[in-house]
Every structure is written in C-alpha cells, then in structure tokens.
Amino acid sequence: MKNILITGGAGFIGSNLALKLIEKGHKITVLDNLSKQIHGENPVETSPLFKKIKDKVVFIEGTVTSRADWEKALENQNVIVHFAAETGTGQSMYCIEKYTEVNIQGTAIMLDILANKKSSVEKIVIASSRSIYGEGKYKHPKLGIVYPSHRREDDMLAGNFELSYADYEELELLATDEDSKIHPSSVYGITKQNQEQMIMTVCPTIGIAPVGFRYQNVYGPGQSLSNPYTGILSIFSTQIRNNNPIQIFEDGKETRDFVFIDDVVTATILGIEKEEANGHVFNVGTGVATDVLEVANSLIKAYDINVPVTITGKFRLGDIRHNYADLTKIRTCLGFEPTVYFNEGIRKFSAWVLEQEIQEDKLSISLEEMKKKGLLK
C-alpha cells in the first residue's frame, strides 16, 4: 500500500484514478481547488466528481499556487500524481498569466519544496499532453520525416487547412512518437511542456523517479458537460441535447486521438506501479485518428436528435490540424493496450450523458471571448 497524493484529484481523470487506486488498497489524498469552471457554483453540494470521492479520500481544498497547501498535502506521501492544471487550448491564449501561474509556478513550488526539504516521496507522475507536440509527424515524399511549422493564418483564411511544407508537396500523416519534435502551438501546450521538462529534469537529481504521460483527448462518463472551454464530445453533447445546431470549425476533417477514461486510468496505474516506467515519458491514446465531423455525426446518431451541422470554415488560432499517438513505447515498456475504441466509447459515453440533466449550452460565451481577443477567425 502506498500513500498517493493526486493533485486535481477531484477532476475527471483524477477522481476516476483515485477510486481505482482505493480499490487496489492505496491511501489517497486529494489536493483540489474545486474550480467553478469544472465543478459549478456550489461544488461541495452539487459536483458529481467531488461527491463520488469526498468520503473516500483525505481531501484538502487548496491550490497548487500555495506553498502552505503543498506542504500540508506532501506530508507522508510516497507518490504524487500531478494533474492539477488549467486546461483549454483556446482559453490559454488570452488567460496567459493564469495558465502560467497554475501550471508552471504550481509545479515549481512543489519541486522547490521537495528539493529543499526531506520527504518520503519516491515517484512523481506528471500529466503531460499531446499538445506539447503542436502539429504532428509527417512524411514528405522527398525529404522523409518532417515536422511542419504551425499553420499560417493567411492559408487558413483562404480555406487551406491541411499542413504543407515549404515546397507545398503533399504530406502523409504519421503517428506521433515520443521522439517527435516538441513545438507547441498554444500557451497551454507550452505550460505542459514546461511541467514535463521540470519534473523529468529535477526529480532524478533529488532521488525521485519521474514518469510522464502525454495524454491524447480523454473522454468518458463523468467529464464536465458544462465547461465550454475544453472537451469536444461534452461540448457537442450539450449542444445536441439543447437542440442547438453544431457549427464545426475548419472543414471538419481535423482529427484527434480520442482515448477512453478507463484506458487512461489503466495506463497511469502502470506508471505508478511499474519500475520500468521510471525516467520515461509515454504517449497514451488509441493510435487512431478520428475527424471532428465523424464525432458530431456519431453523437447525433447516439442521442437520436437530428440537429443541423454546419461546416463554417472558421478557425481558432492555436489549434492544431492532426495528431494521433504512436503507442509502440508504452506497449513495449509497460504492456499497455487500449481496450475501448471510438465506437464503443461513444456508446458508453452517450449512455451516461442521457442519464444526466441537460446543461446550459455556454459555448457561445467562450467563442465570443475568443472573437473579442482576435483568436477566432
């Protein structure tokens, strides 16, 4: 049995991980600020994510930007799983100080404490992100493997959304492996890169084993249906159940690797328990690219609510075009294999959504914020 601290442990991934670790006999402490954006206006009373863990963990309501909260949470811990972070690619482009303070400074405070005080911490697992890659990995017909730069606004305004290289040769999309170029295209991606690098660099110097997981797009029962800033399946689901039309950015052919929550929890536990994980970073996904238009149509079919879908040609600065995971390393090193692929995952997710109250569709609020900042074109 280990004493395990999960920062952000009342969130979607953290709460699911906490319950599974409790089943395995571990003692869990959660440090979480119960953000209203995720948990609602009265989280202690109404947040399903918080309520399902509150009597099963040692809960500390606090923030990773507080040294005092960190010192309280770190006492007698053997493992830290660091999930606490501001999330959302678009929002990060205009809430820059907030994202930097929470994601980078919060991680720095933890490491500063551990580097300067004796502790019982043996391992830190950091939740990194596929966003650190920026655009994914491609094959050029003449040059071989290439990593294209971020897309140009002028090209996208002209309706050219696919990646191109300097000579405009057609590129073949490949799965992104852990040795691929790191060049994030959003402030969120930059902060996740910084978190990961700090953990992987500092921990070995202070006798703590680091493990990094670059999660792809995580979804499943329990994720917030009211947060309009992140989670495309949740956002579309809330729109559909409100009988609101779906407006899809770009041409609808942009793709993501959607990974089910159960598989993410499994991978994370492997990282906690297996020494083979120590000192490594791993992709966590399905290794399958699914386009946004397919997501929308699959959800409409699942809910049997026929709302109109419009391909708008609009785009958000900071968004990437494609990225899906190469799982060779995590398969080889940790024996991880995804068990829930998109079609089955959609069935499980939509069945859960239909059991929930219909949430207010707040997407227009977040889009208006981006438009005012010049980030939605």
Side-chain angles (χ1 to χ4, degrees):
M1 186 189 79
K2 299 285 187 182
N3 293 334
I4 301 176
L5 168 65
I6 306 176
T7 70
F12 173 43
I13 304 175
S15 60
N16 279 277
L17 177 65
L19 293 177
K20 186 59 68 173
L21 288 171
I22 290 167
E23 284 181 18
K24 294 173 73 68
H26 300 292
K27 181 180 179 182
I28 306 302
T29 299
V30 165
L31 173 63
D32 200 296
N33 70 348
L34 297 179
S35 165
K36 290 181 180 179
Q37 184 167 301
I38 298 168
H39 297 278
E41 290 297 323
N42 187 15
V44 173
E45 298 297 329
T46 61
S47 170
L49 290 171
F50 172 67
K51 288 169 73 175
K52 73 181 184 180
I53 65 163
K54 69 174 184 176
D55 297 324
K56 300 175 182 178
V57 304
V58 176
F59 183 76
I60 300 171
E61 185 172 357
T63 172
V64 293
T65 59
S66 164
R67 180 173 288 265
D69 290 343
W70 266 118
E71 288 178 339
K72 181 179 179 181
L74 288 169
E75 190 172 346
N76 297 322
Q77 300 300 330
N78 305 123
V79 178
I80 304 167
V81 183
H82 188 27
F83 282 141
E86 293 295 333
T87 60
T89 299
Q91 189 182 44
S92 77
M93 299 295 282
Y94 57 91
C95 293
I96 299 164
E97 182 178 6
K98 181 180 181 182
Y99 273 69
T100 302
E101 179 186 17
V102 173
N103 297 4
I104 298 177
Q105 181 63 12
T107 305
I109 293 170
M110 171 187 68
L111 290 172
D112 194 76
I113 293 170
L114 293 172
N116 291 286
K117 290 187 177 181
K118 189 174 181 179
S119 80
S120 53
V121 176
E122 305 163 357
K123 179 179 286 194
I124 298 178
V125 176
I126 179 65
S128 188
S129 167
R130 59 94 184 149
S131 65
I132 73 171
Y133 294 119
E135 296 293 354
K137 180 178 180 179
Y138 290 81
K139 185 176 180 180
H140 186 284
K142 299 173 184 174
L143 302 176
I145 302 301
V146 295
Y147 299 97
S149 300
H150 314 315
R151 294 176 292 170
R152 298 192 315 139
E153 183 177 339
D154 288 348
D155 288 337
M156 292 193 285
L157 286 170
N160 301 319
F161 298 114
E162 288 294 348
L163 271 292
S164 62
Y165 212 57
D167 55 10
Y168 291 95
E169 286 276 6
E170 186 173 341
L171 302 177
E172 177 188 352
L173 176 65
L174 302 175
T176 305
D177 60 78
E178 291 85 352
D179 292 327
S180 295
K181 183 177 179 179
I182 303 297
H183 59 148
S185 59
S186 67
V187 171
Y188 172 67
I190 291 168
T191 65
K192 298 309 286 185
Q193 176 189 0
N194 196 294
Q195 279 188 311
E196 179 190 301
Q197 289 180 329
M198 282 196 293
I199 296 292
M200 303 306 294
T201 300
V202 174
C203 284
T205 72
I206 56 177
I208 295 173
V211 180
F213 285 114
R214 296 171 181 170
Y215 299 121
Q216 292 279 334
N217 288 59
V218 185
Y219 74 102
Q223 70 185 98
S224 174
L225 296 171
S226 60
N227 185 352
Y229 297 96
T230 186
I232 187 172
L233 277 84
S234 293
I235 290 169
F236 282 175
S237 294
T238 297
Q239 287 186 291
I240 294 166
R241 296 189 75 207
N242 277 279
N243 286 290
N244 291 337
I246 294 176
Q247 295 190 345
I248 293 180
F249 292 155
E250 302 185 17
D251 57 3
K253 296 178 182 178
E254 59 274 28
T255 63
R256 299 293 184 268
D257 185 339
F258 295 96
V259 57
F260 198 70
I261 181 62
D262 294 359
D263 287 330
V264 169
V265 168
T266 297
T268 307
I269 291 175
L270 289 171
I272 293 170
E273 294 184 341
K274 283 182 170 284
E275 290 190 7
E276 293 91 333
N278 297 355
H280 294 282
V281 294
F282 301 95
N283 288 331
V284 181
T286 62
V288 178
T290 303
D291 69 52
V292 172
L293 184 57
E294 182 179 349
V295 172
N297 288 331
S298 297
L299 290 170
I300 287 169
K301 182 178 180 181
Y303 301 129
D304 195 23
I305 301 174
N306 191 23
V307 300
V309 176
T310 303
I311 307 295
T312 66
K314 294 180 180 179
F315 57 91
R316 297 186 306 182
L317 297 177
D319 274 354
I320 65 163
R321 181 63 172 174
H322 303 295
N323 191 296
Y324 73 102
D326 184 322
L327 301 181
T328 302
K329 184 176 180 180
I330 194 170
R331 282 177 169 137
T332 302
C333 188
L334 301 185
F336 170 79
E337 191 68 43
T339 60
V340 180
Y341 286 90
F342 185 72
N343 289 338
E344 181 184 357
I346 284 289
R347 287 196 297 271
K348 291 184 175 184
F349 172 70
S350 59
W352 169 79
V353 170
L354 289 171
E355 296 173 351
Q356 312 307 307
E357 292 184 8
I358 298 176
Q359 301 294 315
E360 180 185 356
D361 181 4
K362 300 177 183 177
L363 180 62
S364 60
I365 298 172
S366 69
L367 295 181
E368 187 60 31
E369 287 180 7
M370 293 201 70
K371 188 175 181 180
K372 287 180 179 178
K373 305 296 181 182
L375 296 167
L376 177 62
K377 303 291 182 177

